Short mmCIF file of all heavy atoms in Angstrom, two decimals:
data_model
loop_
_atom_site.label_atom_id
_atom_site.label_comp_id
_atom_site.label_asym_id
_atom_site.label_seq_id
_atom_site.Cartn_x
_atom_site.Cartn_y
_atom_site.Cartn_z
N MET A 87 23.92 -0.99 -1.04
CA MET A 87 22.51 -0.82 -1.43
C MET A 87 21.77 -0.10 -0.31
O MET A 87 21.74 -0.60 0.83
CB MET A 87 21.86 -2.18 -1.75
CG MET A 87 20.53 -2.05 -2.33
SD MET A 87 19.84 -3.59 -3.00
CE MET A 87 21.01 -3.89 -4.31
N GLU A 88 21.15 1.01 -0.61
CA GLU A 88 20.44 1.80 0.38
C GLU A 88 19.05 1.27 0.56
O GLU A 88 18.33 1.03 -0.42
CB GLU A 88 20.38 3.25 -0.05
CG GLU A 88 21.73 3.94 -0.15
CD GLU A 88 22.41 4.15 1.16
OE1 GLU A 88 21.75 4.70 2.03
OE2 GLU A 88 23.59 3.73 1.30
N GLN A 89 18.66 1.11 1.82
CA GLN A 89 17.29 0.61 2.15
C GLN A 89 16.68 1.52 3.15
O GLN A 89 17.33 2.06 4.03
CB GLN A 89 17.37 -0.86 2.68
CG GLN A 89 17.82 -1.84 1.67
CD GLN A 89 16.84 -2.10 0.58
OE1 GLN A 89 15.71 -1.65 0.60
NE2 GLN A 89 17.31 -2.83 -0.47
N ARG A 90 15.35 1.68 3.05
CA ARG A 90 14.60 2.55 3.97
C ARG A 90 14.46 1.87 5.35
O ARG A 90 14.21 0.69 5.44
CB ARG A 90 13.22 2.86 3.34
CG ARG A 90 12.50 4.00 4.02
CD ARG A 90 11.41 4.48 3.05
NE ARG A 90 10.71 3.33 2.40
CZ ARG A 90 9.62 2.78 2.95
NH1 ARG A 90 9.08 3.24 4.01
NH2 ARG A 90 9.04 1.78 2.29
N ILE A 91 14.60 2.68 6.41
CA ILE A 91 14.34 2.19 7.73
C ILE A 91 12.86 2.20 8.00
O ILE A 91 12.19 3.21 7.80
CB ILE A 91 15.02 3.05 8.81
CG1 ILE A 91 16.56 3.04 8.59
CG2 ILE A 91 14.68 2.57 10.21
CD1 ILE A 91 17.30 4.06 9.49
N VAL A 92 12.27 1.06 8.34
CA VAL A 92 10.82 1.00 8.57
C VAL A 92 10.48 0.77 10.06
O VAL A 92 9.28 0.85 10.46
CB VAL A 92 10.16 -0.19 7.72
CG1 VAL A 92 10.33 0.08 6.25
CG2 VAL A 92 10.74 -1.51 8.08
N GLY A 93 11.51 0.56 10.89
CA GLY A 93 11.22 0.41 12.33
C GLY A 93 12.51 0.07 13.07
O GLY A 93 13.56 0.01 12.50
N PHE A 94 12.37 0.04 14.39
CA PHE A 94 13.52 -0.31 15.23
C PHE A 94 13.08 -1.31 16.31
O PHE A 94 11.95 -1.34 16.69
CB PHE A 94 14.00 0.93 16.01
CG PHE A 94 14.64 1.99 15.11
CD1 PHE A 94 13.85 3.03 14.63
CD2 PHE A 94 15.97 1.98 14.76
CE1 PHE A 94 14.41 4.01 13.77
CE2 PHE A 94 16.51 2.96 13.93
CZ PHE A 94 15.72 3.96 13.46
N HIS A 95 14.02 -2.17 16.69
CA HIS A 95 13.80 -3.03 17.85
C HIS A 95 15.08 -3.22 18.55
O HIS A 95 16.15 -2.86 18.06
CB HIS A 95 13.17 -4.36 17.42
CG HIS A 95 14.07 -5.27 16.64
ND1 HIS A 95 14.18 -5.23 15.25
CD2 HIS A 95 14.96 -6.21 17.05
CE1 HIS A 95 15.08 -6.11 14.87
NE2 HIS A 95 15.57 -6.71 15.93
N GLN A 96 15.04 -3.79 19.79
CA GLN A 96 16.26 -4.10 20.55
C GLN A 96 16.55 -5.52 20.54
O GLN A 96 15.64 -6.39 20.64
CB GLN A 96 16.08 -3.57 21.99
CG GLN A 96 16.25 -2.11 22.13
CD GLN A 96 16.01 -1.60 23.56
OE1 GLN A 96 14.89 -1.64 24.02
NE2 GLN A 96 17.04 -1.13 24.22
N ASP A 97 17.86 -5.87 20.41
CA ASP A 97 18.19 -7.32 20.48
C ASP A 97 18.31 -7.77 21.94
O ASP A 97 18.00 -6.97 22.83
CB ASP A 97 19.49 -7.55 19.70
CG ASP A 97 20.74 -6.98 20.39
OD1 ASP A 97 20.64 -6.48 21.51
OD2 ASP A 97 21.80 -7.01 19.74
N GLU A 98 18.74 -9.01 22.15
CA GLU A 98 18.73 -9.58 23.51
C GLU A 98 19.73 -8.87 24.40
O GLU A 98 19.67 -9.03 25.60
CB GLU A 98 19.00 -11.10 23.44
CG GLU A 98 20.41 -11.47 22.95
CD GLU A 98 20.48 -11.61 21.43
OE1 GLU A 98 19.67 -10.95 20.69
OE2 GLU A 98 21.30 -12.37 20.95
N HIS A 99 20.65 -8.09 23.85
CA HIS A 99 21.61 -7.35 24.69
C HIS A 99 21.19 -5.90 24.93
O HIS A 99 21.92 -5.14 25.51
CB HIS A 99 22.99 -7.31 23.99
CG HIS A 99 23.49 -8.75 23.63
ND1 HIS A 99 23.79 -9.66 24.61
CD2 HIS A 99 23.68 -9.32 22.47
CE1 HIS A 99 24.21 -10.79 24.01
NE2 HIS A 99 24.10 -10.59 22.70
N GLY A 100 20.03 -5.53 24.34
CA GLY A 100 19.60 -4.15 24.50
C GLY A 100 20.10 -3.20 23.47
O GLY A 100 19.93 -2.02 23.51
N ASP A 101 20.86 -3.75 22.47
CA ASP A 101 21.37 -2.93 21.38
C ASP A 101 20.26 -2.69 20.35
O ASP A 101 19.48 -3.58 20.01
CB ASP A 101 22.53 -3.65 20.66
CG ASP A 101 23.79 -3.69 21.51
OD1 ASP A 101 24.04 -2.70 22.25
OD2 ASP A 101 24.55 -4.68 21.42
N TRP A 102 20.26 -1.47 19.82
CA TRP A 102 19.21 -1.12 18.81
C TRP A 102 19.51 -1.70 17.43
O TRP A 102 20.61 -1.69 17.00
CB TRP A 102 19.01 0.39 18.79
CG TRP A 102 18.24 0.88 20.02
CD1 TRP A 102 18.75 1.38 21.14
CD2 TRP A 102 16.83 0.75 20.21
NE1 TRP A 102 17.75 1.63 22.04
CE2 TRP A 102 16.58 1.27 21.53
CE3 TRP A 102 15.76 0.29 19.42
CZ2 TRP A 102 15.30 1.32 22.04
CZ3 TRP A 102 14.51 0.30 19.98
CH2 TRP A 102 14.27 0.85 21.27
N VAL A 103 18.42 -2.12 16.83
CA VAL A 103 18.53 -2.73 15.50
C VAL A 103 17.50 -2.06 14.59
O VAL A 103 16.31 -1.89 14.99
CB VAL A 103 18.22 -4.26 15.55
CG1 VAL A 103 18.30 -4.88 14.15
CG2 VAL A 103 19.14 -4.97 16.52
N ALA A 104 17.90 -1.59 13.43
CA ALA A 104 16.99 -0.95 12.48
C ALA A 104 16.40 -2.07 11.62
O ALA A 104 17.15 -2.88 11.05
CB ALA A 104 17.72 0.08 11.68
N ASP A 105 15.07 -2.05 11.44
CA ASP A 105 14.44 -2.93 10.51
C ASP A 105 14.37 -2.24 9.16
O ASP A 105 13.85 -1.11 9.02
CB ASP A 105 13.02 -3.28 10.96
CG ASP A 105 13.01 -3.84 12.36
OD1 ASP A 105 13.79 -4.76 12.60
OD2 ASP A 105 12.18 -3.41 13.19
N LEU A 106 14.89 -2.90 8.10
CA LEU A 106 14.95 -2.26 6.79
C LEU A 106 13.81 -2.77 5.91
O LEU A 106 13.28 -3.87 6.10
CB LEU A 106 16.26 -2.59 6.16
CG LEU A 106 17.50 -2.12 7.00
CD1 LEU A 106 18.79 -2.48 6.28
CD2 LEU A 106 17.45 -0.61 7.21
N ALA A 107 13.45 -1.92 4.90
CA ALA A 107 12.36 -2.24 4.00
C ALA A 107 12.57 -3.56 3.24
O ALA A 107 11.59 -4.23 2.89
CB ALA A 107 12.13 -1.09 3.02
N CYS A 108 13.81 -3.94 3.07
CA CYS A 108 14.07 -5.18 2.32
C CYS A 108 13.87 -6.40 3.15
O CYS A 108 13.92 -7.55 2.65
CB CYS A 108 15.53 -5.15 1.87
SG CYS A 108 16.72 -4.98 3.23
N GLY A 109 13.65 -6.25 4.47
CA GLY A 109 13.43 -7.41 5.36
C GLY A 109 14.65 -7.75 6.15
O GLY A 109 14.61 -8.61 7.06
N HIS A 110 15.80 -7.13 5.84
CA HIS A 110 17.00 -7.31 6.66
C HIS A 110 16.97 -6.39 7.88
O HIS A 110 16.10 -5.53 7.99
CB HIS A 110 18.26 -7.01 5.82
CG HIS A 110 18.52 -8.02 4.73
ND1 HIS A 110 18.73 -7.67 3.45
CD2 HIS A 110 18.53 -9.38 4.78
CE1 HIS A 110 18.94 -8.75 2.71
NE2 HIS A 110 18.81 -9.81 3.49
N ALA A 111 17.89 -6.57 8.79
CA ALA A 111 18.04 -5.73 9.94
C ALA A 111 19.49 -5.33 10.13
O ALA A 111 20.36 -6.17 9.80
CB ALA A 111 17.51 -6.50 11.18
N ARG A 112 19.68 -4.15 10.63
CA ARG A 112 21.08 -3.73 10.82
C ARG A 112 21.22 -3.08 12.23
O ARG A 112 20.39 -2.28 12.62
CB ARG A 112 21.47 -2.64 9.80
CG ARG A 112 22.37 -3.14 8.74
CD ARG A 112 23.14 -2.03 8.06
NE ARG A 112 24.03 -1.31 9.00
CZ ARG A 112 24.75 -0.23 8.67
NH1 ARG A 112 24.70 0.22 7.48
NH2 ARG A 112 25.57 0.27 9.57
N HIS A 113 22.25 -3.45 12.95
CA HIS A 113 22.52 -2.83 14.24
C HIS A 113 22.83 -1.35 14.07
O HIS A 113 23.56 -0.97 13.15
CB HIS A 113 23.72 -3.50 14.89
CG HIS A 113 23.35 -4.68 15.72
ND1 HIS A 113 23.47 -5.97 15.26
CD2 HIS A 113 22.73 -4.77 16.96
CE1 HIS A 113 23.00 -6.76 16.23
NE2 HIS A 113 22.54 -6.10 17.23
N VAL A 114 22.26 -0.57 14.92
CA VAL A 114 22.56 0.91 14.88
C VAL A 114 22.94 1.22 16.35
O VAL A 114 22.24 1.96 17.04
CB VAL A 114 21.38 1.78 14.44
CG1 VAL A 114 21.30 1.78 12.91
CG2 VAL A 114 20.03 1.27 15.01
N ARG A 115 24.10 0.70 16.78
CA ARG A 115 24.50 0.89 18.18
C ARG A 115 25.01 2.29 18.43
O ARG A 115 25.62 2.92 17.59
CB ARG A 115 25.68 -0.08 18.45
CG ARG A 115 25.31 -1.58 18.45
CD ARG A 115 26.47 -2.39 18.88
NE ARG A 115 26.21 -3.81 18.85
CZ ARG A 115 26.36 -4.58 17.83
NH1 ARG A 115 26.81 -4.06 16.68
NH2 ARG A 115 26.06 -5.88 17.86
N HIS A 116 24.76 2.72 19.66
CA HIS A 116 25.40 3.91 20.17
C HIS A 116 26.49 3.37 21.06
O HIS A 116 26.25 3.00 22.23
CB HIS A 116 24.44 4.79 20.92
CG HIS A 116 25.14 6.05 21.46
ND1 HIS A 116 25.99 6.81 20.72
CD2 HIS A 116 25.11 6.60 22.73
CE1 HIS A 116 26.40 7.84 21.48
NE2 HIS A 116 25.97 7.69 22.67
N ASP A 117 27.72 3.34 20.55
CA ASP A 117 28.85 2.69 21.27
C ASP A 117 30.08 3.53 21.03
O ASP A 117 31.00 3.17 20.29
CB ASP A 117 29.04 1.27 20.71
CG ASP A 117 30.11 0.44 21.48
OD1 ASP A 117 30.41 0.85 22.65
OD2 ASP A 117 30.60 -0.50 20.96
N PRO A 118 30.12 4.72 21.68
CA PRO A 118 31.26 5.64 21.41
C PRO A 118 32.57 5.03 21.89
O PRO A 118 32.57 4.20 22.86
CB PRO A 118 30.87 6.90 22.28
CG PRO A 118 29.84 6.44 23.25
CD PRO A 118 29.12 5.22 22.60
N PRO A 119 33.69 5.34 21.27
CA PRO A 119 33.81 6.35 20.16
C PRO A 119 33.67 5.70 18.79
O PRO A 119 33.82 6.36 17.79
CB PRO A 119 35.24 6.86 20.33
CG PRO A 119 35.98 5.67 20.92
CD PRO A 119 35.02 4.91 21.75
N TRP A 120 33.37 4.39 18.75
CA TRP A 120 33.35 3.72 17.41
C TRP A 120 32.03 3.98 16.65
O TRP A 120 32.07 4.24 15.46
CB TRP A 120 33.55 2.22 17.57
CG TRP A 120 34.83 1.91 18.20
CD1 TRP A 120 36.11 1.86 17.58
CD2 TRP A 120 35.13 1.67 19.60
NE1 TRP A 120 37.05 1.63 18.48
CE2 TRP A 120 36.52 1.48 19.70
CE3 TRP A 120 34.33 1.62 20.75
CZ2 TRP A 120 37.12 1.26 20.99
CZ3 TRP A 120 34.92 1.33 21.95
CH2 TRP A 120 36.34 1.19 22.05
N SER A 121 30.94 3.93 17.40
CA SER A 121 29.62 4.19 16.71
C SER A 121 28.92 5.27 17.51
O SER A 121 28.48 5.04 18.60
CB SER A 121 28.80 2.90 16.72
OG SER A 121 29.40 1.93 16.00
N GLU A 122 28.92 6.47 16.95
CA GLU A 122 28.30 7.64 17.61
C GLU A 122 26.87 7.81 17.08
O GLU A 122 26.67 8.46 16.05
CB GLU A 122 29.14 8.88 17.37
CG GLU A 122 30.45 8.85 18.06
CD GLU A 122 30.34 9.39 19.50
OE1 GLU A 122 29.25 9.68 19.99
OE2 GLU A 122 31.44 9.50 20.20
N ARG A 123 25.91 7.25 17.74
CA ARG A 123 24.55 7.41 17.32
C ARG A 123 23.67 7.79 18.54
O ARG A 123 22.76 6.99 18.91
CB ARG A 123 24.01 6.16 16.66
CG ARG A 123 24.70 5.79 15.36
CD ARG A 123 23.93 4.71 14.64
NE ARG A 123 24.60 4.24 13.47
CZ ARG A 123 25.48 3.25 13.39
NH1 ARG A 123 25.84 2.60 14.53
NH2 ARG A 123 26.03 2.89 12.27
N PRO A 124 23.93 8.89 19.17
CA PRO A 124 23.17 9.21 20.38
C PRO A 124 21.65 9.30 20.14
O PRO A 124 20.90 9.13 21.05
CB PRO A 124 23.76 10.59 20.83
CG PRO A 124 24.44 11.12 19.59
CD PRO A 124 24.92 9.94 18.79
N TRP A 125 21.32 9.52 18.86
CA TRP A 125 19.85 9.69 18.58
C TRP A 125 19.10 8.33 18.77
O TRP A 125 17.90 8.34 19.00
CB TRP A 125 19.64 10.15 17.14
CG TRP A 125 20.35 9.31 16.11
CD1 TRP A 125 21.63 9.50 15.58
CD2 TRP A 125 19.86 8.09 15.46
NE1 TRP A 125 21.93 8.50 14.70
CE2 TRP A 125 20.88 7.66 14.62
CE3 TRP A 125 18.68 7.37 15.57
CZ2 TRP A 125 20.68 6.50 13.83
CZ3 TRP A 125 18.53 6.22 14.79
CH2 TRP A 125 19.53 5.83 13.95
N VAL A 126 19.81 7.22 18.65
CA VAL A 126 19.13 5.91 18.65
C VAL A 126 18.57 5.56 20.06
O VAL A 126 17.67 4.77 20.14
CB VAL A 126 20.02 4.83 18.08
CG1 VAL A 126 20.95 4.21 19.21
CG2 VAL A 126 19.18 3.71 17.52
N VAL A 127 19.13 6.18 21.10
CA VAL A 127 18.67 5.81 22.45
C VAL A 127 17.43 6.56 22.88
O VAL A 127 16.90 6.27 23.97
CB VAL A 127 19.80 5.96 23.49
CG1 VAL A 127 20.98 5.08 23.13
CG2 VAL A 127 20.22 7.41 23.62
N THR A 128 16.98 7.54 22.07
CA THR A 128 15.74 8.24 22.45
C THR A 128 14.65 7.94 21.39
O THR A 128 14.93 7.71 20.22
CB THR A 128 15.92 9.79 22.47
OG1 THR A 128 16.19 10.26 21.19
CG2 THR A 128 17.10 10.11 23.34
N LYS A 129 13.42 7.91 21.91
CA LYS A 129 12.27 7.65 21.03
C LYS A 129 12.16 8.69 19.92
O LYS A 129 11.90 8.37 18.78
CB LYS A 129 11.01 7.65 21.90
CG LYS A 129 9.74 7.23 21.18
CD LYS A 129 8.61 7.10 22.20
CE LYS A 129 7.35 6.45 21.56
NZ LYS A 129 6.69 7.43 20.67
N GLU A 130 12.39 9.95 20.33
CA GLU A 130 12.31 11.08 19.37
C GLU A 130 13.37 10.89 18.28
O GLU A 130 13.11 11.09 17.07
CB GLU A 130 12.47 12.45 20.05
CG GLU A 130 11.36 12.81 21.01
CD GLU A 130 11.38 11.98 22.28
OE1 GLU A 130 12.42 11.41 22.63
OE2 GLU A 130 10.31 11.97 23.02
N GLY A 131 14.56 10.50 18.70
CA GLY A 131 15.63 10.34 17.72
C GLY A 131 15.37 9.27 16.75
O GLY A 131 15.60 9.37 15.55
N ARG A 132 14.81 8.17 17.24
CA ARG A 132 14.49 7.04 16.36
C ARG A 132 13.35 7.40 15.37
O ARG A 132 13.44 7.14 14.18
CB ARG A 132 14.09 5.79 17.13
CG ARG A 132 15.26 5.21 17.92
CD ARG A 132 14.90 3.85 18.51
NE ARG A 132 13.76 3.89 19.38
CZ ARG A 132 13.85 4.20 20.72
NH1 ARG A 132 15.06 4.51 21.24
NH2 ARG A 132 12.82 4.20 21.46
N GLU A 133 12.39 8.11 15.87
CA GLU A 133 11.31 8.55 15.00
C GLU A 133 11.80 9.49 13.88
O GLU A 133 11.34 9.50 12.80
CB GLU A 133 10.17 9.21 15.85
CG GLU A 133 9.33 8.19 16.53
CD GLU A 133 8.33 8.82 17.50
OE1 GLU A 133 8.33 10.08 17.68
OE2 GLU A 133 7.50 8.04 18.03
N ARG A 134 12.80 10.30 14.25
CA ARG A 134 13.40 11.24 13.31
C ARG A 134 14.12 10.49 12.18
O ARG A 134 14.26 10.96 11.03
CB ARG A 134 14.35 12.12 14.00
CG ARG A 134 14.36 13.57 13.45
CD ARG A 134 15.05 14.51 14.45
NE ARG A 134 16.39 14.12 14.82
CZ ARG A 134 16.79 13.95 16.08
NH1 ARG A 134 16.01 14.18 17.09
NH2 ARG A 134 18.06 13.54 16.36
N HIS A 135 14.61 9.27 12.47
CA HIS A 135 15.35 8.54 11.46
C HIS A 135 14.53 7.49 10.73
O HIS A 135 15.01 6.83 9.81
CB HIS A 135 16.52 7.82 12.14
CG HIS A 135 17.70 8.76 12.37
ND1 HIS A 135 17.66 9.71 13.40
CD2 HIS A 135 18.87 8.96 11.74
CE1 HIS A 135 18.79 10.40 13.40
NE2 HIS A 135 19.51 9.96 12.39
N LEU A 136 13.26 7.35 11.11
CA LEU A 136 12.40 6.49 10.31
C LEU A 136 12.26 7.05 8.89
O LEU A 136 12.27 8.23 8.68
CB LEU A 136 10.96 6.48 10.93
CG LEU A 136 10.72 5.50 12.06
CD1 LEU A 136 9.25 5.61 12.52
CD2 LEU A 136 10.98 4.07 11.62
N ARG A 137 12.20 6.12 7.98
CA ARG A 137 12.08 6.45 6.54
C ARG A 137 13.38 7.01 5.89
O ARG A 137 13.42 7.29 4.74
CB ARG A 137 10.87 7.40 6.28
CG ARG A 137 9.54 6.68 6.52
CD ARG A 137 8.40 7.65 6.33
NE ARG A 137 8.44 8.71 7.33
CZ ARG A 137 8.01 8.63 8.57
NH1 ARG A 137 7.51 7.50 9.01
NH2 ARG A 137 8.12 9.64 9.42
N GLN A 138 14.44 7.15 6.78
CA GLN A 138 15.68 7.51 6.18
C GLN A 138 16.37 6.18 5.67
O GLN A 138 15.78 5.12 5.86
CB GLN A 138 16.58 8.16 7.23
CG GLN A 138 16.02 9.55 7.59
CD GLN A 138 17.06 10.39 8.37
OE1 GLN A 138 18.21 10.01 8.56
NE2 GLN A 138 16.60 11.60 8.67
N HIS A 139 17.54 6.29 5.06
CA HIS A 139 18.08 5.14 4.38
C HIS A 139 19.40 4.72 5.04
O HIS A 139 20.17 5.56 5.51
CB HIS A 139 18.33 5.45 2.92
CG HIS A 139 17.05 5.60 2.14
ND1 HIS A 139 16.29 6.72 2.20
CD2 HIS A 139 16.39 4.70 1.37
CE1 HIS A 139 15.19 6.57 1.47
NE2 HIS A 139 15.25 5.31 0.94
N LEU A 140 19.65 3.43 5.02
CA LEU A 140 20.88 2.87 5.54
C LEU A 140 21.42 1.90 4.44
O LEU A 140 20.65 1.30 3.73
CB LEU A 140 20.60 2.00 6.80
CG LEU A 140 20.68 2.63 8.17
CD1 LEU A 140 20.49 1.53 9.22
CD2 LEU A 140 22.03 3.32 8.40
N HIS A 141 22.72 1.77 4.46
CA HIS A 141 23.35 0.82 3.56
C HIS A 141 23.04 -0.59 4.07
O HIS A 141 23.29 -0.84 5.24
CB HIS A 141 24.83 1.06 3.45
CG HIS A 141 25.54 0.03 2.66
ND1 HIS A 141 25.54 0.01 1.29
CD2 HIS A 141 26.31 -1.05 3.00
CE1 HIS A 141 26.23 -1.02 0.84
NE2 HIS A 141 26.75 -1.67 1.87
N CYS A 142 22.57 -1.49 3.20
CA CYS A 142 22.30 -2.88 3.67
C CYS A 142 23.38 -3.75 3.00
O CYS A 142 23.36 -4.02 1.80
CB CYS A 142 20.95 -3.35 3.23
SG CYS A 142 20.60 -5.03 3.82
N GLY A 143 24.30 -4.22 3.82
CA GLY A 143 25.37 -5.09 3.34
C GLY A 143 24.91 -6.42 2.87
O GLY A 143 25.54 -7.06 2.01
N GLN A 144 23.76 -6.86 3.45
CA GLN A 144 23.25 -8.20 3.04
C GLN A 144 22.69 -8.13 1.63
O GLN A 144 22.88 -9.06 0.82
CB GLN A 144 22.26 -8.70 4.04
CG GLN A 144 22.91 -9.00 5.37
CD GLN A 144 21.92 -9.48 6.39
OE1 GLN A 144 21.47 -10.61 6.44
NE2 GLN A 144 21.52 -8.60 7.30
N CYS A 145 21.93 -7.04 1.31
CA CYS A 145 21.47 -6.88 -0.06
C CYS A 145 22.60 -6.67 -1.01
O CYS A 145 22.66 -7.26 -2.09
CB CYS A 145 20.52 -5.65 -0.13
SG CYS A 145 18.89 -5.98 0.47
N ALA A 146 23.59 -5.86 -0.58
CA ALA A 146 24.73 -5.58 -1.45
C ALA A 146 25.52 -6.89 -1.73
O ALA A 146 26.07 -7.10 -2.78
CB ALA A 146 25.65 -4.61 -0.83
N GLY A 147 25.49 -7.80 -0.75
CA GLY A 147 26.16 -9.11 -0.97
C GLY A 147 25.31 -10.13 -1.70
O GLY A 147 25.73 -11.30 -1.84
N GLY A 148 24.11 -9.76 -2.07
CA GLY A 148 23.25 -10.66 -2.83
C GLY A 148 22.50 -11.64 -1.99
O GLY A 148 22.04 -12.71 -2.49
N HIS A 149 22.31 -11.35 -0.67
CA HIS A 149 21.59 -12.30 0.17
C HIS A 149 20.14 -11.83 0.30
O HIS A 149 19.88 -10.80 0.89
CB HIS A 149 22.24 -12.32 1.55
CG HIS A 149 23.66 -12.72 1.55
ND1 HIS A 149 24.11 -13.96 1.23
CD2 HIS A 149 24.79 -11.97 1.77
CE1 HIS A 149 25.43 -14.01 1.27
NE2 HIS A 149 25.90 -12.82 1.58
N PRO A 150 19.22 -12.63 -0.21
CA PRO A 150 17.83 -12.23 0.02
C PRO A 150 17.36 -12.32 1.43
O PRO A 150 17.96 -13.09 2.25
CB PRO A 150 17.06 -13.29 -0.87
CG PRO A 150 17.95 -14.44 -0.99
CD PRO A 150 19.39 -13.89 -0.86
N ALA A 151 16.36 -11.53 1.80
CA ALA A 151 15.87 -11.52 3.18
C ALA A 151 15.24 -12.86 3.49
O ALA A 151 14.61 -13.48 2.63
CB ALA A 151 14.93 -10.37 3.41
ZN1 LIG B 99 18.71 -5.85 2.72
#
């Protein structure tokens, strides 16, 4: 299920987390070579990805926020 990104925050380890419109949150780590998201570590990159969509596994699994 695709959900709109409404914001970003960092968890206690400094990893970036996308806040989704449904109320869930998804990690968007830049952890090469497994997760290549160099955009997430810059403010400009994150702003560019606001309002884009991410798959929400929790919604897809039927878990309400
Ligand atoms: Zn969700």
Side-chain angles (χ1 to χ4, degrees):
M87 187 169 296
E88 299 289 311
Q89 295 290 351
R90 194 162 43 91
I91 299 173
V92 296
F94 293 93
H95 68 270
Q96 281 176 293
D97 71 7
E98 66 271 28
H99 306 294
D101 288 326
W102 283 99
V103 180
D105 304 314
L106 303 178
C108 58
H110 291 129
R112 256 203 62 183
H113 272 101
V114 281
R115 294 186 180 90
H116 179 49
D117 187 19
W120 299 278
S121 298
E122 292 273 6
R123 295 191 184 90
W125 54 266
V126 84
V127 299
T128 68
K129 187 172 188 288
E130 291 75 18
R132 291 191 301 277
E133 283 173 354
R134 216 165 54 234
H135 282 74
L136 274 180
R137 291 175 298 279
Q138 293 195 0
H139 292 77
L140 268 186
H141 175 76
C142 183
Q144 293 178 79
C145 280
H149 303 290

